[in-house]
Amino acid sequence: MSAKQLSVFIENRQGRLGEVLSVLKNNEVNLLSLSLADTTEYGILRLIVSYPEKGKECLTKAGFSCMLADVLVVKIPHRTGALQEILECVSDKVSVEYAYGLSTDKADACVVLKVSDIKTARDVLSQNGIETLSTDEIDKL
Amino acid sequence: MIWNKEMECASREEMRKLQSKRLVELVRYVYERVPFYRQKMENAGVRPEDIKGVDDIAKLPFTTKDDLRDNYPFGLFAVPQRDIVRIHASSGTTGKATVVGYTQNDLDVWAECVARCMTMANVGKDDIIQIAYGYGLFTGGLGAHSGAEKVGATVVPMSTGNSKKLTTMMVDFGATAIACTPSYLLHISEVLREEKLLDKIKLKSAVCGAEPWTEKMRGEIENRLGVKAYDIYGLSEVMGPGVACDCEFHAGLHVCEDHFYPEIIDAKTLTPVADGETGELVFTTLTKEGIPLIRYRTKDLTSITREKCECGRTSARISRFKGRSDDMLIIRGVNVFPSQVESALVDVEEVTPHYLMIVDRVNNLDTLEIQVEIDEKYYTDEIRGIEKITKKIAHVIQQALGISAKITLVSPFALKRSEGKAVHVIDNRKYD
Ligand SMILES: [Zn+2]
């Protein structure tokens, strides 16, 4: 399974991040994970949310540049080296563009991976018995 | 010292007579040689014989920068290419350059005019002058150069861009004069201060121009460097630097009136205004052979006085510039029109055509930031994708303006759209 990531372009201007969050809140879109890649000029906010399509729609209406992209959300056990093992089994097939964590109340953690070829990565992971989650599944964690 | 007493101190009647004679000749000259002027005069119903002197000048049609652009590159030249010995160019309103050509005589007149200015600025044989205007298509470097040579100064052609070398040579050579933009000179004073060289310089005169500046900046320059700073004016279409300059009394800029006939007009009604009243400066080039201009609208706002100056010169003086009647900006000495940015952005599909130029002065150097709205379709969630767009815009802007700008991408609709004319420029530079 793959999940939808919602990303938003934000200028480095005071209150801009808050504006994004309040638009999502007002539209009852729940935030599951957040990562901010920033430069001195602007930032790219990457989000995993409960309703990605709805999130995109309301942010676009509010004047933000945003897009949806397919990402892999991988469950990883809480032990040393777990993430490294996962990356190792995909690394010779696809390249990882970026990654960030997603926390759950369960014993396992999750990591969000943006890869160059999502289908190949997913196949490799499932052959190795590693589970990837859909947006719905993440929401239920 | 006065370089050319005969011309600079002529009585008003003598000068008027000379200007009238030259104007009559000029009108016949362009009517015969430049189809553009002949057509324009025919459209206005004026024949060369209708112009009997400067009192008749208002009968002639105006010439604008657009006319120069429309006749790009050589359409307004009055002599064949074999008689043109030099070309200069400045940026036009929509990317196309404004091209001017000089005959040998034009270059001689130019050097003569700059020599008058250098003399006003107390620069002569005993001086070592660093010319720190750009050399090249821009008229600043070569223009100031030839006049400084003509007065017999020792000329050091520095050009721009290497402040360290400039300050080192200033000290090592014992330079007594410098010609550059006032903001660059303030920057140089900072460099000198940082290098602890301020007490080692021998500078006494600064010939500053190519951008608007104020009395306050003059005071700042004079205090920091212990020099006298003079204001030299010119524009490449008319000639280049040296059209006018101020003397030690700083009571307006003396115009080289025997070569450039000045008028001040109301920019809206296009009718002449009285001496002392502010309006747009218009020049007619009385002696130019290569590309003579009839009533060229400079778009610079100023006023004129024809009273005798304390320095003894009788030439007409124009006051410090009070602004522009169009939207041209001068950034780091380069003419920039917002329309150039607009037409450059049209070629970049990743952004909308909305933009905002923010001009500022940081550490005495002009800065330009251009905010551009990213087109939603091209938004990407990867930093390097955004960087690629920014770089692409920076490149087309550099190509279009000839100066670099900091590009800032903003969200769609982040830039304000107003009902009427959109605000495209915020100029934070303080002129007073
Ligand atoms: Zn004077």
Side-chain angles (χ1 to χ4, degrees):
Chain A
M1 292 303 258
S2 63
K4 291 277 183 218
Q5 168 190 266
L6 172 62
S7 73
V8 194
F9 177 84
I10 48 175
E11 297 96 344
N12 277 359
R13 177 151 66 74
Q14 211 177 357
R16 211 51 185 151
L17 175 60
E19 282 172 45
V20 173
L21 300 182
S22 79
V23 169
L24 293 176
K25 181 186 154 210
N26 295 340
N27 288 276
E28 289 171 352
V29 176
N30 188 22
L31 211 60
L32 305 171
S33 174
L34 172 155
S35 151
L36 179 64
D38 69 325
T39 71
T40 50
E41 318 294 323
Y42 57 88
I44 294 176
L45 186 61
R46 296 165 183 147
L47 306 167
I48 303 293
V49 296
S50 56
Y51 304 104
E53 261 91 19
K54 188 173 164 196
K56 178 174 189 261
E57 203 186 300
C58 61
L59 283 171
T60 305
K61 242 185 234 161
F64 289 93
S65 270
C66 38
M67 69 178 276
L68 296 177
D70 288 320
V71 290
L72 290 175
V73 177
V74 188
K75 245 184 174 169
I76 43 171
H78 273 307
R79 64 174 167 78
T80 314
L83 178 58
Q84 191 265 335
E85 285 162 24
I86 290 168
L87 292 180
E88 203 171 76
C89 74
V90 294
S91 67
D92 56 333
K93 298 278 181 2
V94 299
S95 62
V96 178
E97 315 277 352
Y98 52 80
Y100 53 96
L102 186 156
S103 61
T104 66
D105 358 326
K106 301 285 167 54
D108 294 339
C110 282
V111 66
V112 181
L113 296 178
K114 174 80 187 290
V115 293
S116 55
D117 179 350
I118 193 157
K119 195 180 169 302
T120 308
R122 204 170 45 208
D123 291 349
V124 173
L125 288 172
S126 77
Q127 279 156 25
N128 286 275
I130 298 162
E131 213 182 327
T132 54
L133 306 177
S134 69
T135 302
D136 284 348
E137 288 165 331
I138 303 160
D139 200 18
K140 291 189 190 92
L141 286 174
Chain B
M1 270 279 289
I2 293 172
W3 178 255
N4 186 339
K5 267 213 165 100
E6 198 192 333
M7 288 302 155
E8 295 177 81
C9 303
S11 73
R12 290 311 309 167
E13 298 94 283
E14 279 167 353
M15 181 51 67
R16 216 170 163 73
K17 250 169 89 180
L18 178 67
Q19 290 170 329
S20 289
K21 179 174 160 272
R22 288 183 169 173
L23 179 67
V24 170
E25 284 164 11
L26 170 77
V27 170
R28 191 159 298 139
Y29 179 83
V30 297
Y31 189 84
E32 281 164 10
R33 288 166 175 255
V34 188
F36 166 82
Y37 282 123
R38 176 190 285 256
Q39 189 62 53
K40 256 198 154 173
M41 284 173 63
E42 276 168 7
N43 293 349
V46 205
R47 296 202 42 84
E49 52 271 28
D50 297 334
I51 309 301
K52 297 188 177 70
V54 289
D55 288 334
D56 297 319
I57 199 164
K59 292 177 185 164
L60 294 165
F62 292 102
T63 309
T64 62
K65 204 176 174 77
D66 286 344
D67 293 328
L68 287 168
R69 189 199 58 202
D70 295 345
N71 290 281
Y72 174 89
F74 303 149
L76 290 187
F77 285 18
V79 296
Q81 171 269 318
R82 57 177 298 139
D83 294 331
I84 296 287
V85 298
R86 172 95 65 81
I87 297 277
H88 278 289
S90 65
S91 49
T93 46
T94 52
K96 241 185 206 170
T98 304
V99 178
V100 286
Y102 302 75
T103 64
Q104 186 54 53
N105 188 61
D106 291 338
L107 291 185
D108 294 345
V109 168
W110 190 3
E112 157 73 20
C113 293
V114 177
R116 292 181 195 174
C117 302
M118 287 291 167
T119 309
M120 266 184 244
N122 201 19
V123 175
K125 274 188 181 305
D126 299 322
D127 290 292
I128 297 177
I129 183 168
Q130 291 180 300
I131 309 291
Y133 288 115
Y135 279 66
L137 285 173
F138 175 54
T139 50
L142 286 164
H145 183 108
S146 59
E149 272 187 356
K150 195 167 173 85
V151 298
T154 305
V155 180
V156 190
M158 298 303 309
S159 197
T160 51
N162 194 333
S163 310
K164 274 248 155 69
K165 193 185 263 176
L166 186 138
T167 51
T168 305
M169 289 188 173
M170 185 183 281
V171 172
D172 294 351
F173 296 0
T176 53
I178 186 167
C180 63
T181 63
S183 55
Y184 188 56
L185 191 52
L186 281 171
H187 173 70
I188 290 297
S189 73
E190 293 287 336
V191 178
L192 286 165
R193 191 177 54 82
E194 277 162 26
E195 294 175 352
K196 303 198 173 24
L197 294 174
L198 273 176
D199 56 346
K200 295 193 174 61
I201 59 169
K202 296 207 172 97
L203 227 47
K204 62 167 209 223
S205 290
V207 186
C208 297
E211 68 185 14
W213 55 310
T214 56
E215 282 305 321
K216 202 180 156 201
M217 277 175 86
R218 191 201 313 267
E220 192 89 30
I221 288 170
E222 295 190 337
N223 280 337
R224 287 193 197 178
L225 294 167
V227 294
K228 291 267 173 224
Y230 301 85
D231 191 359
I232 189 168
Y233 170 75
L235 58 173
S236 66
E237 300 93 304
V238 172
M239 180 177 77
V243 173
C245 187
D246 69 351
C247 65
E248 73 265 31
F249 294 97
H250 302 313
L253 287 73
H254 289 279
V255 178
C256 293
E257 267 191 283
D258 47 329
H259 297 294
F260 310 105
Y261 184 79
E263 292 174 85
I264 307 288
I265 60 161
D266 183 311
K268 290 208 176 70
T269 64
L270 304 183
T271 51
V273 303
D275 284 7
E277 274 177 41
T278 298
E280 185 183 317
L281 179 62
V282 171
F283 275 118
T284 298
T285 63
L286 295 173
T287 54
K288 224 173 165 198
E289 297 174 341
I291 176 164
L293 294 176
I294 303 279
R295 305 190 85 200
Y296 182 73
R297 293 185 59 185
T298 66
K299 309 277 174 163
D300 286 319
L301 299 176
T302 182
S303 61
I304 200 166
T305 171
R306 288 173 230 262
E307 281 170 17
K308 190 175 171 179
C309 180
E310 274 185 80
C311 69
R313 292 178 183 85
T314 52
S315 43
R317 282 168 287 145
I318 47 179
S319 68
R320 260 190 187 285
F321 291 97
K322 297 175 172 87
R324 301 266 311 167
S325 62
D326 65 4
D327 56 0
M328 188 181 89
L329 296 156
I330 301 179
I331 303 172
R332 286 172 238 148
V334 176
N335 298 351
V336 173
F337 291 91
S339 54
Q340 288 175 289
V341 172
E342 197 161 329
S343 53
L345 289 178
V346 168
D347 296 333
V348 185
E349 57 183 5
E350 291 92 340
V351 295
T352 72
H354 300 279
Y355 64 95
L356 176 66
M357 301 167 69
I358 301 167
V359 192
D360 213 332
R361 190 163 277 164
V362 179
N363 295 328
N364 302 310
L365 286 180
D366 293 340
T367 59
L368 170 63
E369 174 188 348
I370 303 177
Q371 297 191 348
V372 191
E373 289 180 355
I374 185 167
D375 189 306
E376 238 180 310
K377 289 197 294 291
Y378 291 95
Y379 165 69
T380 143
D381 63 356
E382 285 173 35
I383 298 271
R384 66 172 171 218
I386 306 269
E387 300 283 283
K388 217 169 121 188
I389 300 175
T390 313
K391 277 210 183 100
K392 183 172 172 185
I393 300 167
H395 179 74
V396 299
I397 292 292
Q398 164 89 46
Q399 292 290 311
L401 306 186
I403 55 168
S404 58
K406 180 183 158 206
I407 307 298
T408 306
L409 286 178
V410 298
S411 299
F413 305 104
L415 300 176
K416 282 196 183 65
R417 286 129 168 89
S418 53
E419 295 281 308
K421 216 179 163 207
V423 176
H424 285 308
V425 178
I426 296 174
D427 194 342
N428 291 321
R429 294 175 294 187
K430 301 279 180 289
Y431 292 119
D432 284 305

